mmCIF file of all heavy atoms in Angstrom:
data_model
loop_
_atom_site.group_PDB
_atom_site.id
_atom_site.type_symbol
_atom_site.label_atom_id
_atom_site.label_comp_id
_atom_site.label_asym_id
_atom_site.label_seq_id
_atom_site.Cartn_x
_atom_site.Cartn_y
_atom_site.Cartn_z
ATOM 1 N N SER N 1 1.034 -9.404 -2.532
ATOM 2 C CA SER N 1 -0.048 -9.302 -1.550
ATOM 3 C C SER N 1 0.478 -8.939 -0.170
ATOM 4 O O SER N 1 -0.171 -8.190 0.574
ATOM 5 C CB SER N 1 -0.814 -10.633 -1.492
ATOM 6 O OG SER N 1 -1.348 -10.951 -2.765
ATOM 7 N N TYR N 2 1.643 -9.456 0.179
ATOM 8 C CA TYR N 2 2.266 -9.075 1.452
ATOM 9 C C TYR N 2 2.480 -7.559 1.477
ATOM 10 O O TYR N 2 2.243 -6.898 2.494
ATOM 11 C CB TYR N 2 3.621 -9.760 1.609
ATOM 12 C CG TYR N 2 3.616 -11.211 2.023
ATOM 13 C CD1 TYR N 2 2.502 -12.036 1.829
ATOM 14 C CD2 TYR N 2 4.737 -11.787 2.598
ATOM 15 C CE1 TYR N 2 2.521 -13.366 2.195
ATOM 16 C CE2 TYR N 2 4.776 -13.127 2.969
ATOM 17 C CZ TYR N 2 3.664 -13.912 2.759
ATOM 18 O OH TYR N 2 3.693 -15.231 3.127
ATOM 19 N N GLY N 3 2.946 -7.013 0.345
ATOM 20 C CA GLY N 3 3.207 -5.575 0.284
ATOM 21 C C GLY N 3 1.950 -4.741 0.468
ATOM 22 O O GLY N 3 1.970 -3.703 1.138
ATOM 23 N N ASP N 4 0.852 -5.185 -0.126
ATOM 24 C CA ASP N 4 -0.416 -4.472 0.053
ATOM 25 C C ASP N 4 -0.831 -4.436 1.519
ATOM 26 O O ASP N 4 -1.176 -3.374 2.056
ATOM 27 C CB ASP N 4 -1.520 -5.158 -0.760
ATOM 28 C CG ASP N 4 -1.513 -4.757 -2.230
ATOM 29 O OD1 ASP N 4 -1.290 -3.573 -2.511
ATOM 30 O OD2 ASP N 4 -1.720 -5.635 -3.076
ATOM 31 N N LEU N 5 -0.802 -5.603 2.160
ATOM 32 C CA LEU N 5 -1.244 -5.662 3.555
ATOM 33 C C LEU N 5 -0.294 -4.896 4.456
ATOM 34 O O LEU N 5 -0.733 -4.213 5.386
ATOM 35 C CB LEU N 5 -1.364 -7.120 4.007
ATOM 36 C CG LEU N 5 -1.913 -7.323 5.426
ATOM 37 C CD1 LEU N 5 -3.261 -6.626 5.607
ATOM 38 C CD2 LEU N 5 -2.031 -8.813 5.744
ATOM 39 N N MET N 6 0.994 -4.980 4.182
ATOM 40 C CA MET N 6 1.974 -4.229 4.969
ATOM 41 C C MET N 6 1.648 -2.741 4.969
ATOM 42 O O MET N 6 1.580 -2.092 6.026
ATOM 43 C CB MET N 6 3.371 -4.446 4.394
ATOM 44 C CG MET N 6 4.440 -3.553 4.989
ATOM 45 S SD MET N 6 5.995 -3.544 4.057
ATOM 46 C CE MET N 6 5.661 -2.261 2.842
ATOM 47 N N LEU N 7 1.445 -2.179 3.777
ATOM 48 C CA LEU N 7 1.201 -0.741 3.672
ATOM 49 C C LEU N 7 -0.133 -0.351 4.293
ATOM 50 O O LEU N 7 -0.247 0.709 4.926
ATOM 51 C CB LEU N 7 1.261 -0.311 2.208
ATOM 52 C CG LEU N 7 2.653 -0.411 1.571
ATOM 53 C CD1 LEU N 7 2.574 -0.195 0.061
ATOM 54 C CD2 LEU N 7 3.615 0.598 2.195
ATOM 55 N N ALA N 8 -1.138 -1.194 4.125
ATOM 56 C CA ALA N 8 -2.441 -0.913 4.735
ATOM 57 C C ALA N 8 -2.325 -0.881 6.258
ATOM 58 O O ALA N 8 -2.923 -0.015 6.924
ATOM 59 C CB ALA N 8 -3.461 -1.960 4.307
ATOM 60 N N MET N 9 -1.553 -1.806 6.809
ATOM 61 C CA MET N 9 -1.418 -1.863 8.264
ATOM 62 C C MET N 9 -0.535 -0.736 8.790
ATOM 63 O O MET N 9 -0.794 -0.189 9.873
ATOM 64 C CB MET N 9 -0.887 -3.232 8.679
ATOM 65 C CG MET N 9 -1.868 -4.362 8.383
ATOM 66 S SD MET N 9 -1.334 -5.996 8.948
ATOM 67 C CE MET N 9 -1.545 -5.817 10.741
ATOM 68 N N TYR N 10 0.490 -0.366 8.041
ATOM 69 C CA TYR N 10 1.280 0.788 8.452
ATOM 70 C C TYR N 10 0.426 2.053 8.445
ATOM 71 O O TYR N 10 0.554 2.917 9.320
ATOM 72 C CB TYR N 10 2.472 0.986 7.508
ATOM 73 C CG TYR N 10 3.724 0.254 7.935
ATOM 74 C CD1 TYR N 10 4.392 -0.600 7.060
ATOM 75 C CD2 TYR N 10 4.260 0.428 9.207
ATOM 76 C CE1 TYR N 10 5.546 -1.271 7.442
ATOM 77 C CE2 TYR N 10 5.415 -0.238 9.603
ATOM 78 C CZ TYR N 10 6.047 -1.088 8.712
ATOM 79 O OH TYR N 10 7.188 -1.749 9.101
ATOM 80 N N ALA N 11 -0.461 2.168 7.456
ATOM 81 C CA ALA N 11 -1.326 3.350 7.378
ATOM 82 C C ALA N 11 -2.266 3.426 8.573
ATOM 83 O O ALA N 11 -2.599 4.521 9.047
ATOM 84 C CB ALA N 11 -2.124 3.321 6.072
ATOM 85 N N GLU N 12 -2.702 2.280 9.058
ATOM 86 C CA GLU N 12 -3.549 2.260 10.245
ATOM 87 C C GLU N 12 -2.776 2.704 11.479
ATOM 88 O O GLU N 12 -3.309 3.401 12.346
ATOM 89 C CB GLU N 12 -4.103 0.854 10.463
ATOM 90 C CG GLU N 12 -5.084 0.402 9.390
ATOM 91 C CD GLU N 12 -5.422 -1.065 9.497
ATOM 92 O OE1 GLU N 12 -4.893 -1.738 10.414
ATOM 93 O OE2 GLU N 12 -6.201 -1.558 8.658
ATOM 94 N N ARG N 13 -1.520 2.305 11.543
ATOM 95 C CA ARG N 13 -0.684 2.649 12.698
ATOM 96 C C ARG N 13 -0.157 4.078 12.635
ATOM 97 O O ARG N 13 0.124 4.684 13.677
ATOM 98 C CB ARG N 13 0.496 1.666 12.782
ATOM 99 C CG ARG N 13 0.088 0.272 13.242
ATOM 100 C CD ARG N 13 1.186 -0.761 12.955
ATOM 101 N NE ARG N 13 0.980 -2.007 13.672
ATOM 102 C CZ ARG N 13 0.062 -2.911 13.384
ATOM 103 N NH1 ARG N 13 -0.748 -2.698 12.344
ATOM 104 N NH2 ARG N 13 -0.068 -4.015 14.091
ATOM 105 N N GLU N 14 0.011 4.589 11.421
ATOM 106 C CA GLU N 14 0.565 5.938 11.223
ATOM 107 C C GLU N 14 -0.390 6.749 10.340
ATOM 108 O O GLU N 14 -0.121 6.992 9.159
ATOM 109 C CB GLU N 14 1.940 5.842 10.557
ATOM 110 C CG GLU N 14 2.959 5.009 11.301
ATOM 111 C CD GLU N 14 3.453 5.693 12.569
ATOM 112 O OE1 GLU N 14 3.325 6.933 12.670
ATOM 113 O OE2 GLU N 14 3.972 4.989 13.454
ATOM 114 N N PRO N 15 -1.523 7.179 10.869
ATOM 115 C CA PRO N 15 -2.566 7.797 10.039
ATOM 116 C C PRO N 15 -2.180 9.129 9.404
ATOM 117 O O PRO N 15 -2.863 9.581 8.485
ATOM 118 C CB PRO N 15 -3.728 7.975 11.029
ATOM 119 C CG PRO N 15 -3.090 7.985 12.377
ATOM 120 C CD PRO N 15 -1.918 7.070 12.288
ATOM 121 N N ASP N 16 -1.097 9.750 9.835
ATOM 122 C CA ASP N 16 -0.703 11.034 9.261
ATOM 123 C C ASP N 16 0.296 10.905 8.120
ATOM 124 O O ASP N 16 0.686 11.905 7.511
ATOM 125 C CB ASP N 16 -0.106 11.933 10.352
ATOM 126 C CG ASP N 16 -1.148 12.380 11.365
ATOM 127 O OD1 ASP N 16 -2.316 12.523 10.962
ATOM 128 O OD2 ASP N 16 -0.798 12.561 12.541
ATOM 129 N N ILE N 17 0.714 9.665 7.825
ATOM 130 C CA ILE N 17 1.702 9.423 6.773
ATOM 131 C C ILE N 17 1.019 8.727 5.603
ATOM 132 O O ILE N 17 0.112 7.927 5.788
ATOM 133 C CB ILE N 17 2.862 8.560 7.316
ATOM 134 C CG1 ILE N 17 3.596 9.309 8.438
ATOM 135 C CG2 ILE N 17 3.841 8.188 6.198
ATOM 136 C CD1 ILE N 17 4.669 8.485 9.128
ATOM 137 N N ALA N 18 1.447 9.021 4.388
ATOM 138 C CA ALA N 18 0.895 8.374 3.190
ATOM 139 C C ALA N 18 1.685 7.108 2.871
ATOM 140 O O ALA N 18 2.917 7.110 2.904
ATOM 141 C CB ALA N 18 0.950 9.329 2.003
ATOM 142 N N PHE N 19 0.959 6.036 2.558
ATOM 143 C CA PHE N 19 1.574 4.757 2.181
ATOM 144 C C PHE N 19 0.957 4.318 0.854
ATOM 145 O O PHE N 19 -0.237 4.046 0.781
ATOM 146 C CB PHE N 19 1.346 3.701 3.254
ATOM 147 C CG PHE N 19 2.019 4.006 4.561
ATOM 148 C CD1 PHE N 19 1.377 4.766 5.534
ATOM 149 C CD2 PHE N 19 3.312 3.549 4.819
ATOM 150 C CE1 PHE N 19 2.003 5.065 6.743
ATOM 151 C CE2 PHE N 19 3.943 3.837 6.015
ATOM 152 C CZ PHE N 19 3.295 4.600 6.985
ATOM 153 N N THR N 20 1.780 4.258 -0.173
ATOM 154 C CA THR N 20 1.281 4.026 -1.534
ATOM 155 C C THR N 20 1.930 2.803 -2.170
ATOM 156 O O THR N 20 3.151 2.633 -2.109
ATOM 157 C CB THR N 20 1.561 5.254 -2.422
ATOM 158 O OG1 THR N 20 0.956 6.407 -1.841
ATOM 159 C CG2 THR N 20 1.018 5.037 -3.830
ATOM 160 N N HIS N 21 1.108 1.973 -2.800
ATOM 161 C CA HIS N 21 1.573 0.845 -3.603
ATOM 162 C C HIS N 21 1.124 1.136 -5.024
ATOM 163 O O HIS N 21 -0.066 1.201 -5.303
ATOM 164 C CB HIS N 21 0.934 -0.450 -3.100
ATOM 165 C CG HIS N 21 1.790 -1.659 -3.289
ATOM 166 N ND1 HIS N 21 1.375 -2.930 -2.994
ATOM 167 C CD2 HIS N 21 3.063 -1.801 -3.739
ATOM 168 C CE1 HIS N 21 2.337 -3.796 -3.234
ATOM 169 N NE2 HIS N 21 3.373 -3.139 -3.698
ATOM 170 N N MET N 22 2.082 1.316 -5.932
ATOM 171 C CA MET N 22 1.719 1.705 -7.303
ATOM 172 C C MET N 22 2.255 0.696 -8.315
ATOM 173 O O MET N 22 3.399 0.256 -8.240
ATOM 174 C CB MET N 22 2.239 3.103 -7.624
ATOM 175 C CG MET N 22 1.779 3.613 -8.988
ATOM 176 S SD MET N 22 1.887 5.410 -9.120
ATOM 177 C CE MET N 22 1.619 5.636 -10.883
ATOM 178 N N PHE N 23 1.409 0.359 -9.264
ATOM 179 C CA PHE N 23 1.717 -0.622 -10.302
ATOM 180 C C PHE N 23 2.334 0.082 -11.508
ATOM 181 O O PHE N 23 1.705 0.947 -12.108
ATOM 182 C CB PHE N 23 0.436 -1.343 -10.705
ATOM 183 C CG PHE N 23 0.608 -2.367 -11.790
ATOM 184 C CD1 PHE N 23 1.532 -3.386 -11.656
ATOM 185 C CD2 PHE N 23 -0.172 -2.326 -12.934
ATOM 186 C CE1 PHE N 23 1.687 -4.338 -12.648
ATOM 187 C CE2 PHE N 23 -0.032 -3.279 -13.936
ATOM 188 C CZ PHE N 23 0.910 -4.287 -13.792
ATOM 189 N N PRO N 24 3.555 -0.278 -11.910
ATOM 190 C CA PRO N 24 4.188 0.416 -13.029
ATOM 191 C C PRO N 24 3.724 -0.046 -14.395
ATOM 192 O O PRO N 24 3.842 0.692 -15.371
ATOM 193 C CB PRO N 24 5.673 0.091 -12.832
ATOM 194 C CG PRO N 24 5.670 -1.244 -12.161
ATOM 195 C CD PRO N 24 4.451 -1.236 -11.259
ATOM 196 N N GLY N 25 3.193 -1.292 -14.476
ATOM 197 C CA GLY N 25 2.873 -1.852 -15.780
ATOM 198 C C GLY N 25 4.139 -2.297 -16.492
ATOM 199 O O GLY N 25 5.193 -2.498 -15.873
ATOM 200 N N MET N 26 4.063 -2.440 -17.802
ATOM 201 C CA MET N 26 5.219 -2.859 -18.598
ATOM 202 C C MET N 26 6.006 -1.618 -19.013
ATOM 203 O O MET N 26 5.609 -0.883 -19.925
ATOM 204 C CB MET N 26 4.767 -3.637 -19.834
ATOM 205 C CG MET N 26 4.157 -4.985 -19.518
ATOM 206 S SD MET N 26 3.584 -5.860 -21.004
ATOM 207 C CE MET N 26 5.130 -6.036 -21.915
ATOM 208 N N VAL N 27 7.092 -1.379 -18.328
ATOM 209 C CA VAL N 27 7.897 -0.179 -18.571
ATOM 210 C C VAL N 27 9.204 -0.590 -19.240
ATOM 211 O O VAL N 27 9.823 -1.594 -18.875
ATOM 212 C CB VAL N 27 8.189 0.566 -17.253
ATOM 213 C CG1 VAL N 27 8.975 1.850 -17.525
ATOM 214 C CG2 VAL N 27 6.880 0.887 -16.540
ATOM 215 N N ASP N 28 9.614 0.172 -20.214
ATOM 216 C CA ASP N 28 10.822 -0.155 -20.978
ATOM 217 C C ASP N 28 12.067 0.237 -20.193
ATOM 218 O O ASP N 28 12.713 1.254 -20.467
ATOM 219 C CB ASP N 28 10.789 0.560 -22.330
ATOM 220 C CG ASP N 28 11.864 0.045 -23.284
ATOM 221 O OD1 ASP N 28 12.440 -1.023 -22.998
ATOM 222 O OD2 ASP N 28 12.113 0.705 -24.300
ATOM 223 N N THR N 29 12.404 -0.589 -19.219
ATOM 224 C CA THR N 29 13.594 -0.364 -18.405
ATOM 225 C C THR N 29 14.606 -1.473 -18.639
ATOM 226 O O THR N 29 14.328 -2.474 -19.301
ATOM 227 C CB THR N 29 13.225 -0.340 -16.908
ATOM 228 O OG1 THR N 29 12.765 -1.646 -16.521
ATOM 229 C CG2 THR N 29 12.149 0.690 -16.618
ATOM 230 N N GLU N 30 15.779 -1.310 -18.042
ATOM 231 C CA GLU N 30 16.844 -2.304 -18.166
ATOM 232 C C GLU N 30 16.389 -3.684 -17.690
ATOM 233 O O GLU N 30 16.815 -4.712 -18.216
ATOM 234 C CB GLU N 30 18.071 -1.870 -17.365
ATOM 235 C CG GLU N 30 18.689 -0.564 -17.835
ATOM 236 C CD GLU N 30 18.151 0.649 -17.104
ATOM 237 O OE1 GLU N 30 16.953 0.631 -16.721
ATOM 238 O OE2 GLU N 30 18.906 1.616 -16.918
ATOM 239 N N ALA N 31 15.522 -3.711 -16.683
ATOM 240 C CA ALA N 31 15.084 -4.982 -16.098
ATOM 241 C C ALA N 31 14.223 -5.803 -17.053
ATOM 242 O O ALA N 31 14.060 -7.011 -16.854
ATOM 243 C CB ALA N 31 14.309 -4.715 -14.803
#
């Protein structure tokens, strides 16, 4: 939730830049 609000507020401060929060789901990675 901190990450969502951070990006939303950065987008307000920097309206010409894109700020994206993307959910990967369950991905078959090393982690």
Side-chain angles (χ1 to χ4, degrees):
S1 301
Y2 282 22
D4 278 320
L5 184 55
M6 171 193 87
L7 292 170
M9 294 184 73
Y10 270 127
E12 293 170 0
R13 287 165 165 73
E14 303 288 339
D16 291 329
I17 297 174
F19 295 88
T20 303
H21 211 185
M22 185 160 169
F23 179 55
M26 292 178 61
V27 183
D28 192 14
T29 66
E30 298 92 327

